[in-house]
Amino acid sequence: MTTSPPHPLPSPPALRLRLAPRIGVPRPIDGAWWPRSYDLPAELPALLRGLPRAWGDITSVTVSGATWSHVPDRILVADRTVRLHRALAASAPDTVVLLAPGQGRWDLLVVPPDTAEETAGALMAAAVDPPG
């Protein structure tokens, strides 16, 4: 009897994230993230795992309550608890704010999941272009 080798597990989809270059000048937006859905508990772990190590351990994330319908109080990512906050004010409905104690704050533009690829690419590129 012969056995066939096990099929490899499919790779998770690539993280759709672009970060602005660090140029020493404060920026209103540090990058752009294009999630595949509005399911924050499903999308956020991949984002946090894909961030630069220099950003430190993100312990708090704030999202727009108008954009993300289900926001639990916390999620577990890489054996760490990340607190989630839902901002009720619509001051920045298309951003996510990441905080790492002692490291800093990063604001990412959130490109809506249903955005066409060409449009999403243009929005992400514009978000990370150096200020001019």
Side-chain angles (χ1 to χ4, degrees), residues 72-95:
D73 291 336
R74 69 193 88 217
I75 61 171
L76 190 63
V77 178
D79 296 326
R80 279 190 302 279
T81 300
V82 177
R83 298 186 65 74
L84 303 178
H85 306 278
R86 187 174 179 191
L88 299 178
S91 61
D94 298 327
T95 62

Side-chain angles (χ1 to χ4, degrees), residues 28-112:
I29 293 292
D30 298 293
W33 175 44
W34 184 24
R36 288 177 165 67
S37 73
Y38 283 115
D39 184 352
L40 190 63
E43 297 289 341
L44 194 57
L47 170 64
L48 297 181
R49 285 191 299 267
L51 295 174
R53 287 188 186 268
W55 286 22
D57 294 331
I58 303 298
T59 60
S60 177
V61 176
T62 301
V63 299
S64 167
T67 302
W68 304 91
S69 58
H70 174 64
V71 180
D73 291 336
R74 69 193 88 217
I75 61 171
L76 190 63
V77 178
D79 296 326
R80 279 190 302 279
T81 300
V82 177
R83 298 186 65 74
L84 303 178
H85 306 278
R86 187 174 179 191
L88 299 178
S91 61
D94 298 327
T95 62
V96 60
V97 178
L98 311 170
L99 296 174
Q103 297 292 322
R105 168 188 168 149
W106 294 272
D107 292 38
L108 301 178
L109 171 74
V110 177
V111 177

